[in-house]
Amino acid sequence: MIRHADELYTYRDEDVIDMLDSVVREWFKERFRSLTPPQRYAIPSVLQGNNTLVASPTGSGKTLSAFLSIISELVSLARRDLLEDKVYCIYVSPLRSLNNDIAKNLREPLAELSAIDASVSKIRVGVRTGDTPQSERARMLRRPPHILITTPESIAIVLCAPKFRERLKDARWVIVDEIHELCSSKRGVHLSLSLERLEELCTNRLVRIGLSATLHPLDEVARFLVGYSYNDKGDAIERDCVIVDARFVKPMSIITISPVRDIVHAKADELNRRLYSLIKDVIRSSKTTLIFTNTRSGAERVVYHLSKMNVVDADDELAAHHSSLSREIRLDVEDRLKNGKMRAVVTSTSLELGIDIGSIDAVVQIGSPKSIARCIQRVGRSGHSLELESRGYLIAMDNDDLVEDAVMCMNAMRGKIDSVHIPRNCLDVLAQHIVGLAIEKRWSVEDAYRLVRRSYCYRDLSMDSFRRVLRYLAGMYKGLEGHKVYGKIWYDEATDEFGKRGSTARMIYATNIGTIPDEVAVKVYTRDGKWVGSIEEEFLERLSPGDIFVLGGKTYEFISSKGLTATVRSAEGMRPTIPSWFSEMLPLSFDLGEEIGRLRGELFSMLDKGMEMIKSKDGGRGNKGRRRGYASIDAIDAKDIERLKDKIAKMIMERLYTDENASHAIVEYIYAQYRFLKALGVKAYPSDSNLLVEHYVDEHDRHNLIFHCVFGRRVNDALARAYAYAARVIMRRNVAVTVSDSAFMLTLGEYDEDIPSIVSRIISSVNSSNIRSLLLNAIKSTEMVRTRFRHCATRALMVLRNYKGYEVTVARQQTNAEILMRLCERLDNFPVLEETYREVMEDLMDVKRAEQILMDIEQDRRRFILFSSMDVPSPFSHMLIVSGYSDVVLMEDRKEMLEALHEMVMRRISAKGS
């Protein structure tokens, strides 16, 4: 049962503090004035042995809320000389750097407690990760830490280490930090099975404690943390968990800013100058400023410009921090931040999570962070105490970002967070853990299946899927051994039992464990063998034959790939379809997209009602003095329109937390689209329920269908590929796809037949019943599936990264995977290939929500509204159309392209109106 702490506990601070050991109580009173809200509720919950999920902002004392009860218990044992040589508490986090931080932050209070009572010095803290030397691991066996700090991968390894495993049998607590980051990936799925294996091992019932700053929905994440138990009848029973919801106890101030009032007509140099002027003002008014960009290259560019402006000492007080920099550089920046020596640090995502980086006064976000949770997480890095306000400045550089940021601010300030996506039934992770289980002992299939289904991520796993994974691991699929894929377990179908097979199983498991794939650069060559450059593997998986991209300042058409080599041909003068930063950009969350759709609908409605009111009531007077309305909207006095726009802009400023520039830019963006639709005679306006489909014939006479769906890239990618596949079947030709967070475009090419009829057939041919099969057919031969098959095959121990002490290169892994994939395609429901398709469609894309959207359309909760064809694109389409050009032209030229498109549309509207 999931319960909420504020419904269970009404303790005063002194009551909670009195629950602690007397030494801990004395130390706490000397160090702190009072308990913070998460501490007030979490301490009694953990002391009472309850599984507890703590959601509270950075700087609110949530880590101490988890550890204080545990330290109190360990101090009590130490003072009574009852501490044994075993692990009592396991702390798991996704970051090694965070682990080292936690160890340091634990040892300091333990040293202070030792000064009060020397017996506390017996409590040991140890860190075990992939970086831990063998000598330190051996020392841990002799004298195990009472608090073990580790990663999801390392906990899975020690569960199979016979000697260390014994030290875990009496563990009482496990803490999962940054649980929102883990539960949304296969690392979290992996951890959920490790926790069930640990639960099976332990003599005590484990108390599970989850920590995060930004979570929604709390009930679902709580179930992920605690899992299920099963009664004798095999019925699943939800384990108890107490939720401490203190997410919004800290004051927060966020504002969306536009560098200029008119973002369309502003020149690029003016936009840049105003951007850096805004950043300079924030840095100058703050002691330390953290600046987030959406790409690593963007972080470097911002540091370069700020250093040229001499805002601060570029050598000592300004730095970049991202994953492409060396570990030494990152650690140096982190240390200087903690010590208050930095004035400004620019990062992409690497400082988003809970590494202690000291006191940050303000956070600047350039561009949209793409989710409300991420926005709160980033802004929450400032004001590093419960009393200090978290200050965030979201600076938008284009119209779409402006709307995203404004809606994000409104929802963040209201305390509304987008939902986390938790992967389900991942068969590759399951395969890895089955090998781990087999190394432990002989298992009955029923017992192992029941253990696996205790994990929230596998609660609806079918026995058929479980047995297919067992058969694969036991080498029962014919043809695999000929490609050196040998059985790693034995599986006796007569007794329905399985266990370890061969002497190398333990070594293979320990050296190939984990879920994070190896990523490498892909070499790009022309068809005649000329080397062009390199691209990231994650970028390659987004490419389809015919896609145009930029490399080294030139455009190329993608032809094919083999292993880690891509073949291209020159495509000078052609529009790029996929910008190079596409793979780096985080996708817009679906929940935020829905909020944007609702806001669009509201703003269009306000504008339309206001215009109709002006048109009917505010015209001039006739000969007899009676009021007469305007003949048309185009005849309305410009001053009346400006007054209406000012009124809407004022509402936006108040409700959406924007500055004046931003509110006016948003209104102008909406007004331009409004006039476009009016000129076409379209009476329905974009919203979360009205999905406009634009038919744009470009300058090359190519027909483009633009679906205005603000669902985020994961959903839009699924919809776009399904519609493109349907179009390809109908038209018998390839269809190019361009995807963004707020729209997707199908480029049908030149066509002489009845296009409106074909468009209607394309739209009607995709529905909630067939989208999965259409999408599966669309992705089967893509680079995405080939790359993801290698990832899944390495997780499932089908393709090994390490073998007998040797590291297998990624190029060799990919070659082996491509050979095996061709074989697996001929096998019936092979689990690794099945998991690859599931990962692409459900985790990388979001076919489930795409299905729901199509079901909404079928049940008239949403509807597609098709425009008549136009030879100019609507204002809402401009960013999508020019996105590919971001690599091939300078920002100044791109701005001119956007402005030219806008002016062309406005001229056409005026001509049509007259």
Side-chain angles (χ1 to χ4, degrees):
M1 182 186 296
I2 307 298
R3 297 173 296 169
H4 287 257
D6 56 357
E7 298 169 359
L8 296 173
Y9 306 123
T10 55
Y11 297 116
R12 298 173 303 167
D13 277 16
E14 51 266 38
D15 296 332
V16 176
I17 295 168
D18 284 344
M19 295 175 185
L20 302 171
D21 178 272
S22 59
V23 171
V24 178
R25 196 185 312 147
E26 181 184 339
W27 168 82
F28 186 88
K29 287 179 177 178
E30 286 178 5
R31 287 285 307 272
F32 304 98
R33 293 196 307 272
S34 62
L35 294 167
T36 63
Q39 293 164 357
R40 189 173 303 122
Y41 292 112
I43 291 169
S45 179
V46 175
L47 282 172
Q48 291 172 19
N50 295 319
N51 296 321
T52 307
L53 176 64
V54 182
S56 68
T58 303
S60 63
K62 66 176 174 292
T63 307
L64 192 58
S65 74
F67 273 116
L68 206 53
S69 308
I70 296 165
I71 289 172
S72 178
E73 296 266 4
L74 293 179
V75 167
S76 180
L77 289 172
R79 293 176 64 211
R80 290 178 286 147
D81 202 26
L82 294 177
L83 265 185
E84 299 178 49
D85 280 342
K86 60 188 181 185
V87 175
Y88 287 87
C89 172
I90 301 165
Y91 168 92
V92 183
S93 95
L95 298 173
R96 293 177 187 179
S97 54
L98 183 53
N99 285 341
N100 295 324
D101 222 42
I102 291 294
K104 179 184 174 185
N105 292 343
L106 276 176
R107 287 174 181 136
E108 286 177 2
L110 286 173
E112 292 168 0
L113 286 163
S114 299
I116 301 171
D117 190 319
S119 60
V120 178
S121 62
K122 299 173 189 174
I123 300 173
R124 296 187 295 270
V125 176
V127 178
R128 174 155 180 168
T129 67
D131 293 336
T132 306
Q134 194 59 46
S135 58
E136 179 62 23
R137 296 180 190 189
R139 194 179 302 118
M140 283 186 186
L141 266 179
R142 294 192 300 273
R143 300 182 74 232
H146 300 111
I147 300 175
L148 173 66
I149 297 170
T150 188
T151 60
E153 293 75 22
S154 292
I155 191 67
I157 290 172
V158 298
L159 278 168
C160 281
K163 293 179 181 177
F164 202 92
R165 179 180 166 82
E166 289 299 309
R167 308 294 196 183
L168 300 175
K169 277 190 170 181
D170 294 317
R172 292 172 56 187
W173 304 278
V174 61
I175 299 171
V176 181
D177 204 352
E178 303 292 357
I179 193 170
H180 71 282
E181 181 73 12
L182 284 169
C183 72
S184 60
S185 71
K186 285 192 174 181
R187 289 186 84 193
V189 177
H190 195 278
L191 176 63
S192 76
L193 285 179
S194 291
L195 292 180
E196 295 309 330
R197 289 169 61 189
L198 184 63
E199 187 88 43
E200 186 79 8
L201 170 68
C202 288
T203 55
N204 308 301
R205 183 187 68 82
L206 270 179
V207 175
R208 307 186 192 197
I209 306 161
L211 305 176
S212 176
T214 47
L215 276 178
H216 181 75
L218 290 175
D219 286 17
E220 185 179 11
V221 179
R223 293 183 184 99
F224 166 83
L225 173 67
V226 302
Y228 295 79
S229 58
Y230 283 82
N231 61 22
D232 294 337
K233 295 178 182 178
D235 300 322
I237 302 168
E238 191 176 275
R239 290 192 182 115
D240 291 342
C241 187
V242 173
I243 292 175
V244 177
D245 184 3
R247 289 172 295 180
F248 306 103
V249 298
K250 193 171 184 292
M252 182 170 60
S253 169
I254 317 178
I255 187 168
T256 295
I257 299 172
S258 173
V260 293
R261 189 181 176 100
D262 186 347
I263 232 167
V264 171
H265 295 99
K267 299 301 179 187
D269 57 351
E270 181 193 358
L271 198 59
N272 261 329
R273 183 175 53 77
R274 288 290 303 136
L275 165 69
Y276 287 106
S277 175
L278 287 168
I279 296 172
K280 181 176 74 172
D281 290 344
V282 176
I283 293 172
R284 290 268 170 89
S285 63
S286 309
K287 185 173 179 289
T288 309
T289 303
L290 188 58
I291 302 164
F292 283 97
T293 64
N294 284 337
T295 62
R296 296 185 292 273
S297 58
E300 293 288 354
R301 191 164 58 247
V302 171
V303 168
Y304 172 79
H305 282 289
L306 290 176
S307 65
K308 291 291 182 186
M309 293 171 67
N310 295 316
V311 177
V312 294
D313 186 326
D315 294 325
D316 297 325
E317 297 178 318
L318 171 68
H321 186 291
H322 54 75
S323 57
S324 295
L325 296 170
S326 70
R327 185 167 179 268
E328 291 74 20
I329 291 174
R330 294 200 309 271
L331 287 174
D332 177 58
V333 173
E334 289 164 23
D335 286 340
R336 285 191 286 152
L337 260 176
K338 288 176 197 175
N339 296 325
K341 295 179 180 177
M342 301 296 295
R343 291 292 306 281
V345 173
V346 190
T347 183
S348 50
T349 59
S350 53
L351 289 178
E352 190 176 292
L353 295 184
I355 307 166
D356 182 8
I357 51 174
S359 180
I360 305 293
D361 295 308
V363 167
V364 172
Q365 165 73 49
I366 303 172
S368 166
K370 298 294 179 182
S371 91
I372 307 160
R374 191 173 298 111
C375 174
I376 293 172
Q377 179 83 23
R378 290 179 175 182
V379 173
R381 303 298 270 153
S382 64
H384 201 88
S385 74
L386 203 55
E387 299 79 25
L388 294 175
E389 183 181 68
S390 294
R391 284 192 294 131
Y393 302 88
L394 276 57
I395 306 177
M397 299 294 282
D398 64 58
N399 282 324
D400 286 339
D401 275 359
L402 263 178
V403 177
E404 283 180 26
D405 284 350
V407 174
M408 210 174 308
C409 281
M410 177 179 69
N411 282 278
M413 296 298 284
R414 289 178 178 177
K416 188 169 183 177
I417 305 177
D418 21 38
S419 303
V420 71
H421 165 72
I422 301 176
R424 312 282 171 85
N425 298 330
C426 307
L427 300 183
D428 50 353
V429 176
L430 175 62
Q432 198 174 116
H433 273 279
I434 286 176
V435 173
L437 288 170
I439 291 167
E440 291 175 13
K441 64 175 186 179
R442 174 194 295 252
W443 284 85
S444 81
V445 170
E446 190 62 46
D447 287 347
Y449 177 60
R450 184 172 292 196
L451 181 149
V452 166
R453 287 185 65 225
R454 293 200 311 235
S455 158
Y456 175 80
C457 302
Y458 292 94
R459 70 194 189 281
D460 55 358
L461 178 75
S462 70
M463 177 60 93
D464 175 64
S465 294
F466 189 76
R467 290 190 189 281
R468 282 190 288 113
V469 176
L470 286 174
R471 292 189 191 105
Y472 146 64
L473 290 170
M476 293 181 176
Y477 282 88
K478 291 182 180 179
L480 290 180
E481 285 203 358
H483 294 278
K484 298 182 180 180
V485 180
Y486 303 111
K488 293 157 187 76
I489 65 170
W490 58 261
Y491 171 35
D492 188 333
E493 292 186 289
T495 63
D496 216 23
E497 293 179 322
F498 68 92
K500 182 184 74 170
R501 176 177 175 179
S503 58
T504 60
R506 187 184 301 277
M507 180 271 295
I508 288 172
Y509 177 79
T511 56
N512 289 275
I513 203 163
T515 61
I516 303 172
D518 296 323
E519 297 285 355
V520 292
V522 176
K523 292 183 178 178
V524 180
Y525 293 90
T526 58
R527 286 191 294 182
D528 57 4
K530 181 184 176 183
W531 182 68
V532 175
S534 297
I535 56 176
E536 291 181 350
E537 187 181 29
E538 195 176 354
F539 181 64
L540 171 69
E541 74 176 22
R542 290 285 177 182
L543 296 176
S544 299
D547 272 333
I548 311 295
F549 68 99
V550 177
L551 187 58
K554 295 182 179 180
T555 48
Y556 295 94
E557 180 184 345
F558 175 69
I559 298 172
S560 64
S561 76
K562 185 175 182 181
L564 294 176
T565 301
T567 303
V568 299
R569 63 169 151 250
S570 176
E572 286 304 312
M574 295 184 69
R575 178 175 67 85
T577 56
I578 298 186
S580 64
W581 44 258
F582 189 82
S583 60
E584 261 192 87
M585 285 283 281
L586 297 160
L588 182 78
S589 73
F590 176 77
D591 293 342
L592 178 57
E594 287 285 79
E595 291 292 329
I596 291 168
R598 278 189 276 275
L599 177 73
R600 280 183 172 185
E602 187 178 347
L603 293 180
F604 274 104
S605 177
M606 288 177 69
L607 196 55
D608 194 43
K609 286 177 182 175
M611 294 291 274
E612 289 299 324
M613 192 175 293
I614 294 169
K615 182 184 168 187
S616 61
K617 295 181 181 178
D618 292 339
R621 293 183 180 272
N623 294 332
K624 296 182 180 180
R626 290 193 302 271
R627 284 192 174 273
R628 54 177 172 76
Y630 287 112
S632 70
I633 281 177
D634 291 281
I636 294 175
D637 190 283
K639 290 179 181 178
D640 288 330
I641 295 174
E642 288 307 311
R643 277 193 287 270
L644 173 62
K645 289 195 286 189
D646 287 344
K647 181 181 175 183
I648 297 173
K650 186 179 178 183
M651 181 278 294
I652 289 172
M653 281 182 67
E654 292 171 355
R655 276 185 47 197
L656 276 71
Y657 302 91
T658 70
D659 74 346
E660 192 173 343
N661 280 350
S663 66
H664 280 278
I666 290 170
V667 171
E668 289 298 341
Y669 186 38
I670 299 294
Y671 179 66
Q673 183 75 5
Y674 172 81
R675 288 201 61 196
F676 182 91
L677 297 175
K678 276 290 182 185
L680 280 184
V682 178
K683 294 182 179 178
Y685 299 114
S687 69
D688 57 322
S689 55
N690 290 339
L691 312 177
L692 273 57
V693 183
E694 182 175 342
H695 182 186
Y696 161 52
V697 184
D698 64 24
E699 67 274 21
H700 302 293
D701 289 327
R702 291 175 304 200
H703 294 268
N704 301 274
L705 288 185
I706 303 173
F707 292 70
H708 292 281
C709 307
V710 195
F711 298 138
R713 267 204 327 269
R714 290 181 62 232
V715 177
N716 282 353
D717 212 354
L719 289 169
R721 288 172 188 268
Y723 280 110
Y725 184 81
R728 195 172 81 192
V729 171
I730 290 168
M731 301 177 71
R732 297 181 182 178
R733 60 162 65 184
N734 284 335
V735 173
V737 172
T738 308
V739 179
S740 76
D741 286 311
S742 55
F744 62 88
M745 179 167 68
L746 310 182
T747 300
L748 307 178
E750 297 177 51
Y751 217 71
D752 297 326
E753 294 182 28
D754 182 12
I755 277 288
S757 171
I758 288 173
V759 169
S760 297
R761 284 174 62 197
I762 291 169
I763 291 174
S764 62
S765 64
V766 181
N767 57 57
S768 61
S769 302
N770 69 7
I771 185 173
R772 274 186 184 265
S773 60
L774 290 172
L775 184 56
L776 181 59
N777 287 326
I779 65 170
K780 273 186 175 178
S781 60
T782 61
E783 298 301 324
M784 190 178 294
V785 163
R786 278 193 280 272
T787 300
R788 296 283 165 158
F789 179 80
R790 188 194 87 231
H791 296 175
C792 293
T794 53
R795 290 188 201 104
L797 308 180
M798 186 182 193
V799 172
L800 300 180
R801 292 180 290 181
N802 295 279
Y803 186 63
K804 293 185 177 179
Y806 293 97
E807 188 175 320
V808 182
T809 66
V810 181
R812 171 53 60 188
Q813 291 175 38
Q814 183 64 34
T815 301
N816 293 343
E818 288 177 7
I819 294 167
L820 289 169
M821 185 175 164
R822 287 193 289 272
L823 173 63
C824 294
E825 285 170 338
R826 298 196 294 269
L827 299 173
D828 186 32
N829 293 327
F830 187 69
V832 180
L833 187 59
E834 184 182 319
E835 171 55 25
T836 303
Y837 295 145
R838 189 213 63 79
E839 179 180 314
V840 170
M841 293 200 298
E842 293 185 10
D843 299 344
L844 193 61
M845 301 179 197
D846 191 348
V847 69
K848 289 184 177 180
R849 281 204 169 105
E851 280 176 327
Q852 185 57 56
I853 287 158
L854 292 169
M855 197 174 294
D856 287 347
I857 290 167
E858 290 152 16
Q859 296 174 1
D860 294 326
R861 289 191 293 267
R862 302 183 201 255
R863 57 180 179 148
F864 281 131
I865 297 158
L866 182 61
F867 292 18
S868 55
S869 65
M870 284 285 286
D871 60 351
V872 290
S874 78
F876 274 13
S877 304
H878 295 178
M879 288 303 299
L880 177 72
I881 289 167
V882 305
S883 62
Y885 285 111
S886 59
D887 293 318
V888 75
V889 296
L890 297 172
M891 183 180 177
E892 300 86 60
D893 299 328
R894 194 165 71 254
K895 282 287 301 167
E896 287 178 10
M897 289 166 63
L898 282 168
E899 187 177 353
L901 271 175
H902 181 84
E903 290 306 315
M904 180 172 66
V905 170
M906 291 298 104
R907 282 196 303 271
R908 190 65 59 83
I909 290 169
S910 297
K912 196 163 182 90
S914 62

